[in-house]
Amino acid sequence: MEHVPPPAEELALLDRELAQLDARRAHLLTRRAWLVSALQPQPQAPNAPRWGTPPVGHGWAPGQPWGSGPRTAKPSAPRSAQNVLLTLGGLLLTVAAVAFTLVSWGSMGIGGRSAVLALVTLAALAAPAVLLRRKLAATAEALAALALVLTLLDVYAIHAVAAPDADGLTFTAVASAVLAALWAAYGLALGKLHLPLPAAVFFVQWPLLLGAWAAGAPAIVVGWALLVTAVVDGAIALWGKGLGVRVTAGTGLAVMGSAALLVGLGESLTAGGPLGALLPGTLLLTAAVAALAGAWRTPDGYAQVGGAVAGLAAVAAVGGVLRAAVPGTWQVPAYLLCGLALLFVVRVRLARSAGRGVLLAAGAVVAGALVWALPPVAAVLLGPVQLVAEVWAGAPDGFRGALGASMPWSEMVAAPVVLAVVAGGLGAAFRWWPALVRVAAPLITPGAKVRGAAGAGALGLGWGTLLLAAATLDVPYPVAVALETVLVAGLLAVAVRGADRGAGGAGSAEGAGPGSGIGAAVRVSALVGAVGGAVSAGLLSLASEAATYAVFGALALLFTGAALRTRAVVEQAVLAVAAVVWGTVLTGCAARSLGLAPHEAAPLLLVVPAVTVGLGARLRRHPVALPVELTGALGALVAVGLAVGRAPFLALVLALCGVLAAGAAVRPERRPVAGYLAAALFVAATWVRLAASEVSVPEAYTLPVTVPALVVGVLRRRKDPGASSWTAYGPGLAATLLPSLAVAWTDPDWLRPLLLGVAALVITLLGAKYRLQALLLLGGAVLALDTLHELAPYVVQVAGALPRWLPPALAGLLLLAVGATYEQRLREARRLKDVLGRMR
């Protein structure tokens, strides 16, 4: 319900807004007039001073003297000064009153003390009435604040003199009640003052709480005192007059109500039995009724909060009684059932916002139950990771033996029940969605995306329920492995069925159901669950050799079949990539079964990359081809990593990888990348083989390759003058220059670096003359690195002889020079780039 203020308050708000709009409009018109006059040319004497012209700023009008300030600031200046003076005056009087009471009190007799305080307090209370008749509202507010402080000092004085032996909490409770009544009457009598009524509301917060505390009441009585105070605050917030009163009451409602709920919840959770939980439950139910009653009469936002508080309090009340009646492992399901019962609010004629709040409370309870139940599912999925360190160490007796002892499984018996209940509810909502929408229409109108999320949640939670149930029951190890594999197969079936119907146009979220297709959210959830479940099942199978082959073989077949079955491109690519990964794992397992060392197993791992190259040739430009080939390339990279320790095997693996890349380069769409990759792999294999054979003169092996390669490049350039120099001459030159450069850097003799430098210089000059980019860049790079190698000892000697401060200084000067001529250097770099770009 929308809150409508009283007519007097609404009229005051409108008057203030209209006044602000008028002031703003006058300011803008004044500014516009000054700008128009400033833009018009005006004659000025030659010697007239120009320093008197007002600057372009906000608020100066034409003809206004410079330094006089903006005209719009004049009306507000007296008000600001008045507020400052009144505030300072009130503070000084307050300090004086406190100092008098605390310091000078003992130097006067009882009559004098009473007379002084009574006289000052009465004067401070009476003065605002006189000032209001003279329309001095600000001064009256300042004196009312002083009177408030004086009344507090009066209470302190009475306790110190008249009742020194009285209990402090009891006296404070009584004094708070008296002050609340006094300031309420004072505020109602002087309705134009803004301070008294909020002060009365503040004092209302303490009598019941402090009285219960002083009486030594049990916690439940203190909770009732807090709740009654919160109800009073709520009534004041709903029907009180003035913004200050409502804000103060609303703050008190939030603080006292929260404290009452916390007290009730704490007592409910610590109750020893159902009877002991009845009193806290009654407190919580009363709070729920009060919150729901207030939600009927508040605006939408507050009504939704009130409904949520009411729902949570009701769940805590009823769930607390059930919790005390069931064993400890079943306490969370008890609260979950109470939370689900809140969903029946859709059948109750309740205000829309309040009903939404109750539904939010139900969702919060369900979410809390899932937070408690999902960590064991994560332990089931991730627990088999420990088997990686002990592959094929032997199958454990039960499922838990493969998961480790990280979870107290005996305390998680109810977790599968929680997951099953929530999964069943979400599945029912997904299945009978149209009926659910009709029933919930008075409160909410969920869209198709919500239905998809419900279906996805039901699928995921159902899968987790089965896994967690198997772990809590500690099924035998073979049963657990078979169960996870079967669940993966089921998820793949759901993903493929949903993908096919979605691709055919029948899988929209609106029509998702048993007979009309599965929503995209369900399809994605099934696909993600299948991949994650496959990883978990694969890790679980590592305890036994037979289980490993069975699981990974089944996974490879399942994902391959699913990839062939589906027509959706994204799903097909994911499934095909997963199938390639499982196949690579199978080859690694075969190598381990054969007792091969890691470097000996590396060539065997290239079987799957070879298959992916063949599949790529078959698929050609199909969107799935590239992901499959890239996954195979990752398997080849793993093989290279395994062979790094042994140079001969590494050369073999690199050569085989080059063959695979060359096979992929046969296809035109892969040639630009695979061709260069094949050449690089062959060259790298050659270098590694030469290094493994401890060849000290690689030129004897590389020159016979370089010469015919350069001849072939020349012939190609004659046939196709537009061919790139990198394609024609790059592989041949690199075959000799790069190995020779690598050897020259470790050669202590001078002949090889000299010959290499001369050759690189000749190649560089030829590249510059015939404008061949490959010759220029490759020869220049080799020449520079060779020269650097020869000059490095001398550079080190010179650097050692220089002062420590000189290199940084030279570097700083270089940076300054480059920065000063940055634009010129940038133009030169662009010209060099253009020159290189025009070369072949």
Side-chain angles (χ1 to χ4, degrees):
M1 298 177 64
E2 184 177 0
H3 171 67
V4 179
E9 184 178 350
E10 185 177 2
L11 180 60
L13 291 173
L14 292 177
D15 289 339
R16 283 197 295 269
E17 292 181 0
L18 290 174
Q20 293 175 358
L21 291 175
D22 291 339
R24 181 62 179 165
R25 184 173 184 276
H27 169 70
L28 294 176
L29 290 175
T30 302
R31 178 64 184 162
R32 180 182 181 280
W34 188 89
L35 290 174
V36 170
S37 63
L39 292 174
Q40 293 177 356
Q42 297 179 358
Q44 187 175 5
N47 298 328
R50 296 179 179 270
W51 51 266
T53 304
V56 178
H58 292 288
W60 274 271
Q64 183 179 353
W66 165 247
S68 61
R71 291 183 178 181
T72 56
K74 289 183 179 180
S76 61
R79 178 67 63 181
S80 301
Q82 180 188 20
N83 292 336
V84 171
L85 293 174
L86 290 174
T87 303
L88 290 176
L91 287 175
L92 290 175
L93 288 175
T94 303
V95 170
V98 173
F100 171 78
T101 304
L102 298 178
V103 178
S104 302
W105 185 256
S107 62
M108 301 180 63
I110 296 178
R113 301 169 190 173
S114 304
V116 170
L117 271 181
L119 180 62
V120 174
T121 304
L122 291 175
L125 290 173
V130 179
L131 294 172
L132 287 176
R133 285 196 296 268
R134 299 188 178 184
K135 298 183 179 180
L136 298 175
T139 308
E141 291 286 355
L143 289 179
L146 176 62
L148 176 62
V149 176
L150 290 174
T151 53
L152 294 176
L153 294 176
D154 287 335
V155 171
Y156 166 75
I158 292 172
H159 180 266
V161 176
D165 298 329
D167 179 65
L169 289 176
T170 305
F171 183 84
T172 305
V174 175
S176 298
V178 173
L179 288 175
L182 172 65
W183 282 100
Y186 188 74
L188 293 175
L190 302 178
K192 294 183 179 181
L193 291 178
H194 298 87
L195 180 63
L197 290 180
V201 175
F202 173 77
F203 289 125
V204 166
Q205 311 302 313
W206 309 110
L208 293 178
L209 174 61
L210 296 179
W213 193 359
I220 191 66
V221 177
V222 176
W224 279 106
L226 291 169
L227 180 60
V228 172
T229 305
V231 171
V232 173
D233 287 330
I236 295 174
L238 286 175
W239 294 295
K241 296 181 179 180
L243 181 61
V245 173
R246 294 179 179 177
V247 169
T248 307
T251 304
L253 170 64
V255 174
M256 296 297 179
S258 300
L261 292 175
L262 290 176
V263 170
L265 180 61
E267 291 295 305
S268 177
L269 293 176
T270 57
L275 294 178
L278 285 177
L279 287 178
T282 304
L283 172 64
L284 292 171
L285 280 179
T286 305
V289 172
L292 199 59
W296 277 91
R297 297 171 175 82
T298 54
D300 291 343
Y302 297 105
Q304 194 162 334
V305 173
V309 171
L312 292 174
V315 170
V318 181
V321 177
L322 296 179
R323 181 206 64 81
V326 299
T329 56
W330 296 96
Q331 293 177 357
V332 174
Y335 283 105
L336 175 62
L337 292 178
C338 296
L340 293 176
L342 293 179
L343 297 177
F344 289 97
V345 73
V346 297
R347 307 293 296 178
V348 180
R349 299 181 61 85
L350 197 63
R352 185 179 180 88
S353 297
R356 285 182 176 180
V358 175
L359 292 180
L360 286 176
V365 173
V366 173
L370 290 179
V371 168
W372 175 80
L374 286 178
V377 179
V380 172
L381 293 175
L382 300 178
V385 173
Q386 63 176 345
L387 298 177
V388 175
E390 300 177 358
V391 177
W392 298 348
D397 295 333
F399 193 7
R400 297 181 190 174
L403 302 178
S406 58
M407 291 295 297
W409 296 107
S410 59
E411 301 177 5
M412 293 296 170
V413 178
V417 177
V418 171
L419 295 178
V421 170
V422 179
L426 293 177
F430 182 77
R431 174 63 180 83
W432 292 286
W433 185 258
L436 178 64
V437 171
R438 287 194 300 270
V439 172
L443 296 182
I444 57 174
T445 53
K449 292 183 179 180
V450 179
R451 182 183 190 182
L459 184 65
L461 293 177
W463 170 53
T465 300
L466 295 176
L467 291 179
L468 191 55
T472 53
L473 295 175
D474 196 17
V475 299
Y477 174 76
V479 175
V481 173
L483 175 64
E484 289 208 21
T485 307
V486 170
L487 288 177
V488 171
L491 291 172
L492 286 176
V494 174
V496 170
R497 177 170 174 257
D500 290 344
R501 298 201 176 188
S508 62
E510 292 81 4
S516 60
I518 299 177
V522 178
R523 183 171 69 249
V524 173
S525 176
L527 184 61
V528 173
V531 175
V535 174
S536 179
L539 292 173
L540 184 64
S541 69
L542 294 179
S544 170
E545 183 177 3
T548 301
Y549 281 107
V551 169
F552 280 103
L555 291 177
L557 292 177
L558 287 173
F559 278 83
T560 302
L564 295 175
R565 174 67 177 80
T566 184
R567 292 176 293 170
V569 175
V570 176
E571 284 80 358
Q572 195 174 43
V574 173
L575 294 171
V577 166
V580 173
V581 173
W582 311 144
T584 304
V585 174
L586 275 177
T587 57
C589 293
R592 182 179 177 85
S593 297
L594 294 174
L596 300 178
H599 62 276
E600 295 174 339
L604 184 60
L605 288 180
L606 295 178
V607 173
V608 174
V611 174
T612 59
V613 171
L615 287 175
R618 179 67 180 272
L619 296 173
R620 299 190 68 81
R621 296 186 181 276
H622 194 280
V624 179
L626 181 60
V628 168
E629 291 180 84
L630 290 177
T631 308
L634 291 177
L637 187 61
V638 173
V640 172
L642 292 176
V644 167
R646 296 293 181 89
F649 280 90
L650 178 59
L652 175 61
V653 171
L654 289 174
L656 293 176
C657 291
V659 172
L660 296 178
V666 174
R667 297 153 51 197
E669 67 272 11
R670 299 285 184 264
R671 187 171 300 154
V673 176
Y676 289 111
L677 180 60
L681 288 171
F682 283 132
V683 173
T686 303
W687 297 347
V688 173
R689 182 65 263 182
L690 294 176
S693 302
E694 298 181 354
V695 174
S696 60
V697 186
E699 293 82 3
Y701 299 90
T702 58
L703 282 176
V705 177
T706 295
V707 173
L710 292 178
V711 172
V712 173
V714 171
L715 295 177
R716 180 174 180 181
R717 288 275 298 175
R718 286 182 179 179
K719 184 178 179 180
D720 182 14
S724 172
S725 62
W726 289 101
T727 305
Y729 307 120
L733 292 174
T736 295
L737 290 178
L738 297 181
S740 298
L741 178 63
V743 175
W745 268 74
T746 59
D747 191 353
D749 201 1
W750 58 272
L751 181 60
R752 184 189 304 276
L754 177 60
L755 295 177
L756 179 61
V758 172
L761 177 61
V762 172
I763 293 172
T764 304
L765 294 176
L766 289 176
K769 179 179 179 181
Y770 294 104
R771 304 179 64 80
L772 298 176
Q773 189 180 101
L775 275 67
L776 179 63
L777 294 181
L778 192 58
V782 173
L783 178 62
L785 291 175
D786 186 64
T787 305
L788 178 62
H789 171 264
E790 294 303 309
L791 295 178
Y794 305 102
V795 173
V796 172
Q797 292 179 3
V798 172
L802 292 176
R804 295 290 182 89
W805 57 267
L806 189 57
L810 294 176
L813 291 175
L814 177 61
L815 292 177
L816 289 176
V818 173
T821 60
Y822 175 76
E823 295 295 337
Q824 182 180 356
R825 301 286 86 79
L826 187 61
R827 288 192 295 269
E828 292 174 355
R830 288 173 179 170
R831 284 197 296 269
L832 178 60
K833 178 184 176 182
D834 295 338
V835 171
L836 291 176
R838 288 193 294 269
M839 292 183 177
R840 289 292 180 182

